[in-house]
């Protein structure tokens, strides 16, 4: 029997379809703060809403990647248990707003996101804040190598896709540390899509078919890399990363936490197993999902829901009565 036949004959619970209520709630509560210049107020409202809704879900979640250490984050801190405690035991990565500065400024590509996997499968890379990443769709498997020059990777991906190098588009965070990388991408003949923030959405768009992004590269947050891997496994895409400690002290901190600083991490190293979930709801409009909008008596949200076990990608558009929320 094929996998699809097996899934049809023995359907099971898709936890992500319940978790999406938590990202919807975070996005809705952040909506009044879009463009108001106060990223902390937006984040605080989103954190509070996400935590409340996670508490209604029948699962035993432990936050591996959250808002920070317990003494610095009053809610959704690393190690916190969420859910009712009944049901599957899961590791959780949360970011009530990936792109708080984008939200405060009213710029595009802010999302509320949550990723989950079976207990003990998610890499805790919180001791090293940054990692170098490269993400593509399935065409990059066996073709891309993060240790090769970016020009070589661009040419190899173009060949695998049957495209001209000039038609390749590479997403990269617009940061001073990426100046040489951006120059090298353009020198190879490819085009760049510079992101102000939010490389999770950039990575997912690189792995999805039918987008304008072919590759996402550069140094970004380690927590975001692990969350992205949960989505990449559902999309059948390609991801490689290497930790990028900012100094010797952080390198030692990572070693003390049990991390192999020199290891090349692939999808299965970042999150093991074949049961990963990723959900995201738009806070502001972006290439991945539309932002939350107030339309008279309703608030409209758009979410994307990914699950690796079933290989499904769902888009959920929901209308919520304003009177119930704000």
């Amino acid at each position: 029997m094929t996998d699809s036949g097996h899934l049809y004959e023995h359907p099971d619970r898709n936890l992500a379809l319940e978790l999406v209520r938590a990202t919807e709630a975070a996005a809705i509560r952040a909506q009044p703060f879009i463009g108001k210049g106060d990223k902390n107020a937006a984040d605080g409202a989103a954190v509070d809403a996400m935590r409340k809704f996670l508490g209604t879900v029948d699962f035993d979640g432990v936050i591996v990647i959250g808002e920070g250490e317990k003494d610095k984050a009053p809610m959704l801190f690393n190690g916190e248990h969420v859910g009712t405690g009944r049901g599957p035991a899961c590791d959780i990565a949360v970011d009530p707003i990936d792109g708080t500065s984008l939200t405060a400024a009213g710029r595009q590509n802010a999302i509320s996101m949550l990723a989950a996997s079976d207990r003990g499968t998610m890499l805790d890379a919180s001791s090293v804040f940054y990692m170098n990443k490269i993400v593509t769709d399935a065409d990059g498997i066996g073709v891309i190598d993060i240790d090769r020059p970016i020009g070589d990777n661009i040419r190899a991906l173009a060949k695998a896709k049957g495209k001209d190098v000039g038609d390749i588009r590479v997403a990269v965070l617009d940061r001073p540390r990426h100046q040489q990388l951006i120059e090298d991408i353009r020198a190879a003949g490819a085009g760049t899509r510079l992101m102000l923030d939010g490389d999770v959405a950039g990575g997912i768009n690189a792995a999805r078919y039918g987008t304008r992004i072919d590759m996402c590269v550069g140094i970004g947050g380690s927590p975001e890399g692990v969350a992205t891997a949960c989505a990449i496994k559902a999309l059948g895409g390609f991801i490689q990363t290497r930790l990028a400690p900012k100094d010797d002290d952080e390198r030692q901190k990572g070693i003390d936490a049990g991390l192999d600083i020199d290891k090349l991490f692939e999808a299965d190293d970042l999150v093991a197993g074949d049961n990963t979930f990723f959900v995201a709801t738009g806070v502001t409009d972006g290439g991945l999902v539309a932002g939350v909008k107030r339309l008279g008596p309703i608030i409209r949200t758009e979410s994307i829901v990914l699950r690796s076990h079933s290989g499904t990608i769902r888009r959920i558009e929901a209308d919520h009565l304003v009177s119930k929320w704000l």
Side-chain angles (χ1 to χ4, degrees):
M1 183 179 291
T2 65
D3 286 343
S4 58
H6 176 76
L7 289 169
Y8 174 77
E9 294 293 338
H10 303 283
D12 59 355
R13 176 188 181 200
N14 187 342
L15 181 65
L17 292 175
E18 299 167 61
L19 295 174
V20 72
R21 295 177 65 224
T23 57
E24 286 176 342
I28 290 169
R29 294 294 290 176
Q31 188 272 336
F33 301 98
I34 294 173
K36 300 296 180 61
D38 191 342
K39 68 177 185 178
N40 292 329
D43 191 52
V47 168
D48 181 63
M50 178 175 281
R51 187 175 185 274
K52 285 179 178 176
F53 273 77
L54 284 176
T56 71
V57 180
D58 280 336
F59 78 127
D60 179 14
V62 171
I63 295 176
V64 175
I65 299 168
E67 289 290 281
E69 297 305 318
K70 184 175 182 179
D71 59 343
K72 297 180 181 178
M75 289 188 289
L76 299 180
F77 55 82
N78 300 349
E80 182 178 0
H81 280 257
V82 293
T84 64
R86 301 184 298 270
C90 297
D91 287 345
I92 302 291
V94 302
D95 198 342
I97 303 180
D98 180 29
T100 54
S101 296
L102 299 177
T103 302
R107 294 193 175 111
Q108 292 190 334
N109 291 313
I111 61 173
S112 176
M113 56 133 287
L114 189 156
S117 62
D118 295 335
R119 178 67 52 79
T121 58
M122 194 176 287
L123 178 70
D124 180 2
S126 57
S127 55
V128 178
F129 191 76
Y130 288 114
M131 60 170 52
N132 193 18
K133 315 166 196 176
I134 188 165
V135 184
T136 72
D137 63 13
D139 291 333
I141 297 173
V143 171
I144 299 298
D145 182 344
I146 195 171
D147 294 328
R148 292 168 64 191
I150 188 63
D152 290 352
N153 279 322
I154 288 170
R155 287 184 285 272
L157 185 64
K159 182 178 179 181
K161 287 180 170 295
K163 298 174 69 170
D164 291 335
V165 168
D167 293 329
I168 295 291
R169 296 294 176 265
V170 183
V172 57
L173 284 170
D174 190 4
R175 298 288 189 273
R177 63 178 178 267
H178 288 150
Q179 181 178 348
Q180 186 62 52
L181 175 62
I182 291 166
E183 291 177 5
D184 291 345
I185 291 167
R186 292 170 176 169
T192 55
R193 291 292 183 268
L194 300 184
M195 302 178 292
L196 291 172
D197 210 340
D199 65 341
V200 173
I204 294 171
N205 280 328
R208 288 197 303 133
Y209 287 101
T211 74
R212 296 180 180 180
I213 303 300
D214 299 292
M215 181 188 293
C216 184
V217 299
I219 295 173
S222 297
E224 288 81 358
V226 176
T228 301
C230 290
I232 299 309
K233 297 192 79 164
L235 292 164
F238 169 85
I239 183 171
Q240 283 183 343
T241 72
R242 284 192 182 277
L243 294 169
K246 63 180 184 290
D247 53 34
D248 289 341
D249 287 344
E250 190 176 57
R251 181 182 180 87
Q252 188 58 52
K253 185 179 177 183
I255 293 170
D256 293 343
L259 293 173
D260 184 346
I261 303 298
D262 299 317
K263 180 180 175 67
L264 187 152
F265 292 91
E266 299 191 285
D268 284 337
D269 303 306
L270 297 168
V271 57
D274 184 37
N275 193 33
T276 65
F277 305 88
F278 180 90
V279 298
T281 301
V283 177
T284 59
D285 284 337
L288 183 63
V289 281
V292 59
K293 294 177 177 64
R294 184 165 177 171
L295 305 169
I298 67 166
I299 298 172
R300 179 166 293 163
T301 58
E302 185 184 29
S303 305
I304 188 169
V305 178
L306 311 174
R307 186 188 184 193
S308 65
H309 179 65
S310 56
T312 51
I313 306 168
R314 289 181 171 89
R315 287 189 176 275
I316 300 175
E317 185 179 277
D319 288 345
H320 316 259
L321 283 176
V322 172
S323 60
K324 302 287 187 181
W325 284 92
L326 300 175

